[in-house]
Amino acid sequence: QTVSGCESATRFEVVVTINAPAAPTGSAAQTFCNSGAVADLSATGTSIQWYAASSGGAAHVGTTSLVNGTSYFEFFFPGLIAITAMITTSYETTHGTYNRAHFSKTFANLFLTPISSMDLLLGEILWAAFKGFLSVLTVVFVLYVGKHVSSVQLISLLGAAVPVCWFFSALGLFFTSLVRSSESFIYYQAGILIPMAMLCNTYFPMSNYPEGVQALIKILPLTQGVYLFRAVVDGRFDLSFYLAIIYFVLLSFLLTNWSVHRMSKKIESLV
């Protein structure tokens, strides 16, 4: 030590021992009845934390749901793709279409050319679906670069995105044909889009919900979209997969006709 500039003649020796705790032990395959959470996992050790990977990342909270035979990331990213398609396309044919019709006067200017309202509105749906497709392409490409999907899966996911993007583009335009002001879009977003994004087998398995709720969730369009993307990733091209395709094509066709018919009357009155 040093006191008033004078250093002691001898030094105090300290021996330091750093102990690295051994890894916890336990069964690598664990079975649960119906459903389970991270807190239900069993291992031998002290203050154990659970991670999705062997190194790095953040620890899971105890309430995180367990998914049968897969990691949470593998469970979640098909839902992320479906949510991306839904949000991008819905925004374009709600706020985007309403703005072009009422504020920027784009529609009024286009009607000075030899274009029909049907052509214009079909273009709105096609444009929104294309933007949704580009958003899905971005997400899927990142997954491909990260080696989470193969090149074949990438192409198949993009193919499955087409009917999903078409449906939500038409659904957004249909809702736009119903509203009287842009403020009403909050009901569509908070009452339809956000609940579907949270409930439709995206962040958590449907098995967490009561059976009656599960039956309702299964028929929602986002649930069907998540199923399509998850089936592509899992390689399950069964009858249910093609029925989901038919589900989207049929409803998209009907919504396109209804929304174009209703919206045509609305925008023609603005000219």
Side-chain angles (χ1 to χ4, degrees):
Q1 63 177 336
T2 301
V3 180
S4 299
C6 297
E7 184 177 345
S8 61
T10 58
R11 298 177 179 178
F12 177 68
E13 180 179 357
V14 176
V15 178
V16 176
T17 302
I18 300 177
N19 291 318
T25 59
S27 175
Q30 301 186 27
T31 303
F32 301 91
C33 181
N34 295 325
S35 63
V38 167
D40 299 322
L41 292 170
S42 176
T44 302
T46 304
S47 300
I48 293 174
Q49 292 183 318
W50 299 91
Y51 295 82
S54 58
S55 63
H60 287 305
V61 297
T63 55
T64 300
S65 299
L66 299 176
V67 183
N68 185 36
T70 184
S71 69
Y72 181 72
F73 178 80
E74 292 172 335
F75 170 82
F76 172 67
F77 78 72
L80 175 63
I81 298 172
I83 292 173
T84 299
M86 178 181 72
I87 296 299
T88 305
T89 55
S90 297
Y91 180 86
E92 190 60 32
T93 49
T94 51
H95 290 282
T97 298
Y98 193 90
N99 178 68
R100 287 186 285 274
H102 294 271
F103 300 124
S104 65
K105 303 300 180 183
T106 302
F107 286 6
N109 293 330
L110 286 173
F111 279 132
L112 297 176
T113 66
I115 187 174
S116 68
S117 58
M118 178 179 292
D119 292 337
L120 179 60
L121 294 170
L122 288 175
E124 286 289 302
I125 292 176
L126 182 61
W127 171 240
F130 179 67
K131 288 188 71 173
F133 181 83
L134 290 180
S135 298
V136 169
L137 173 61
T138 302
V139 174
V140 174
F141 182 73
V142 171
L143 292 170
Y144 174 73
V145 172
K147 298 182 179 180
H148 298 292
V149 297
S150 66
S151 57
V152 174
Q153 289 174 322
L154 183 148
I155 295 172
S156 299
L157 286 169
L158 294 179
V162 173
V164 178
C165 291
W166 177 18
F167 172 84
F168 284 108
S169 298
L171 181 62
L173 188 66
F174 181 75
F175 191 85
T176 302
S177 72
L178 301 176
V179 302
R180 295 185 177 181
S181 70
S182 59
E183 295 177 354
S184 299
F185 289 131
I186 188 63
Y187 301 115
Y188 178 56
Q189 295 164 356
I192 298 177
L193 300 184
I194 294 177
M196 282 201 296
M198 295 299 298
L199 298 174
C200 292
N201 214 21
T202 50
Y203 296 96
F204 311 102
M206 283 194 298
S207 58
N208 289 0
Y209 309 124
E211 291 186 3
V213 177
Q214 290 183 42
L216 175 62
I217 292 175
K218 285 179 181 178
I219 65 174
L220 294 178
L222 187 62
T223 304
Q224 297 298 316
V226 174
Y227 176 82
L228 280 181
F229 295 126
R230 194 162 285 145
V232 168
V233 174
D234 296 339
R236 291 183 287 107
F237 299 101
D238 52 10
L239 179 61
S240 297
F241 176 84
Y242 295 105
L243 287 177
I245 294 288
I246 294 173
Y247 170 97
F248 277 111
V249 171
L250 180 60
L251 289 184
S252 298
F253 179 78
L254 294 175
L255 276 173
T256 297
N257 281 275
W258 291 338
S259 60
V260 168
H261 176 72
R262 288 185 55 87
M263 198 67 187
S264 292
K265 298 179 179 179
K266 197 168 187 177
I267 62 175
E268 286 172 359
S269 65
L270 300 175
V271 181

